[in-house]
Structures are given as structure tokens and as C-alpha cells.
Amino acid sequence: MRLSEHSVLKGHKEVVWNLAWSPDGDLLASCGGDKSIYIWGKDGEKWVVKTVLEDGHERTVRRLAWSPDGKFIASGSFDATTCIWERKHGSFESVATLEGHENEVKSVAWDSAGVLLATCSRDKSVWIWEMEADGEFECIAVLHGHTQDVKSVAWHPNHEALFSCSYDDTVKIWLDEDDDWSCARTLAGHTSTVWDIAFNRDGSRLVSCSDDKSVIVWDTTDFKTRQPQRLCTLSGYHQRCIYSVDCSSSGVIA
């Protein structure tokens, strides 16, 4: 497959930090240092700005996540808050601001049901929020276990299990037992900051990337009953740290 440039999207006034496709692939959300979120969509063959979400954050917007049904966007910011934006009749409205972290929110992630939202921060903690029937959000757990900044969070696609990675060089697995969330396992393999994690489609593999210039593929087939094993380490391909990683539906790692 040969890739070629399709469009260049211009609008942000400062660094763009994150991009996120809507579940149906019709919209692209971007966020950045200008404290705003741009929603892009097609107009004929061209990609154009559909709307700009402002006044939600006071500092850089670091990370975005669409809910599985595409009705909500969660945005995490360096102002230590997470905003929830609801999509109504083609427009977006800020419906909640989640406060509690002491420092920058580095990542946000919805579970597969779109009911639980995880946020992580420079304050070394991971928070789990539950969206109630009336649209309100309640914090149901504050997880402490990492000894440094928590860089990213990701839910397992098929189980109620949360994975987090950190400046402390580890990946942790969090499970809920009798309404009590705790760290069940710690994955140690990288020699420096773990910046990002991602699952393959069925959740049998977890991929992590690091400041040590490597990518590790972990076997997470039976992570609840046994320690995930490192299947392979990909190194020697990048000259500098690797900040982001993802898996396609066919299992290709980028």
C-alpha cells in the first residue's frame, strides 16, 4: 500500500498535541496549545472546520477521546481538568468539568461500554469516573501505584480492566474486585519512561512504547490469571524516544 498526502488541515494557532477519529470515521477532532478543540469534517472532497470548541480549558488541551457511541468527547488538559463535550444535532456543548487531579491531565480513555472514563495525571494518580443515567459523572476510584507521572491509560477492549503506563518505566493493570479497584499486575521491561500503550483488536496483545526507543509486545491473553509475558521487543528502528503507538484492526503496529 502506498500512502500519499490527502489534505493539510490548518486552524490551530499553537502546537497540535492529539488527534482522534470519531467512531464512524466521519469527524476528526484535534487539540493543542491554543486551548481549543477543532472538529473537522468533509465538505465534498475537502476537509474543513465544522466547529471549534473553546472556553472549556484554561491551558493546553493534551488528549482527546470519543465515547464508543460518538456522542461525547472527553478532553484532558494541563489545567488539571477533564471536560465532557456532548454532541447534539451536529454541534457540541460542554456538559461537565471533572476536577480532582492536582496537576496536568495527560490522558483520557472511555471503556468499551462508554460508561467508565479513566483519566491520568502528572500527580501520579489514575481516576475512574462513572457516567450516571442523568449524565452526571461520579469518581468511583482514585488509583495510586505509580511512583512518577502517569502518561497514558487504556481499557481492555473485552474486559473491565484498565492499563496505565508511567514515567516510572512500568505498565500497571488495574482490576475491580467487589467494587474495589486495585493494581493486579505490573509489567516491567522498558528501561525508561513508557509513553503510550495500545491493544490489538481482541485484546490478546498489548503494545507499549518508550523513551528507551523500543516497542514491546506483551501477551495479554490470560492477564487475569497469569503475568503477561513479553513476546518481543522492537528496537533499532528509531533514533529518538517513541511517544505514541497504535494497532490497526488487522494487527499492524504503527
Side-chain angles (χ1 to χ4, degrees), residues 18-169:
N18 191 226
L19 303 170
W21 289 101
S22 62
D24 60 12
D26 289 342
L27 297 175
L28 177 68
S30 61
C31 64
D34 57 10
K35 312 172 191 176
S36 67
I37 300 167
Y38 278 61
I39 307 297
W40 309 84
K42 292 192 75 173
D43 182 6
E45 293 301 313
K46 294 183 178 180
W47 282 85
V48 299
V49 178
K50 294 293 186 178
T51 187
V52 179
L53 311 182
E54 299 176 301
D55 302 323
H57 293 289
E58 297 178 357
R59 294 183 61 191
T60 295
V61 185
R62 179 65 180 86
R63 200 72 174 256
L64 301 170
W66 292 82
S67 61
D69 60 9
K71 293 181 178 180
F72 298 93
I73 295 175
S75 58
S77 169
F78 284 2
D79 66 10
T81 70
T82 298
C83 281
I84 307 297
W85 307 83
E86 185 175 7
R87 183 181 181 183
K88 294 181 178 179
H89 309 296
S91 63
F92 290 82
E93 177 186 354
S94 178
V95 294
T97 299
L98 311 184
E99 300 178 334
H101 284 293
E102 297 176 2
N103 297 105
E104 296 102 321
V105 176
K106 296 296 184 69
S107 181
V108 293
W110 298 90
D111 74 339
S112 60
V115 174
L116 299 180
L117 177 72
T119 62
C120 66
S121 168
R122 186 180 177 184
D123 65 13
K124 309 174 189 176
S125 71
V126 177
W127 290 47
I128 299 178
W129 308 81
E130 183 175 24
M131 184 167 63
E132 300 175 338
D134 60 1
E136 296 292 322
F137 283 79
E138 177 187 0
C139 178
I140 61 172
V142 178
L143 311 178
H144 296 284
H146 286 292
T147 59
Q148 298 291 338
D149 301 16
V150 188
K151 299 298 187 183
S152 188
V153 285
W155 292 92
H156 191 281
N158 297 319
H159 297 280
E160 192 172 275
L162 181 64
F163 288 61
S164 61
C165 62
S166 168
Y167 192 76
D168 65 12
D169 309 345

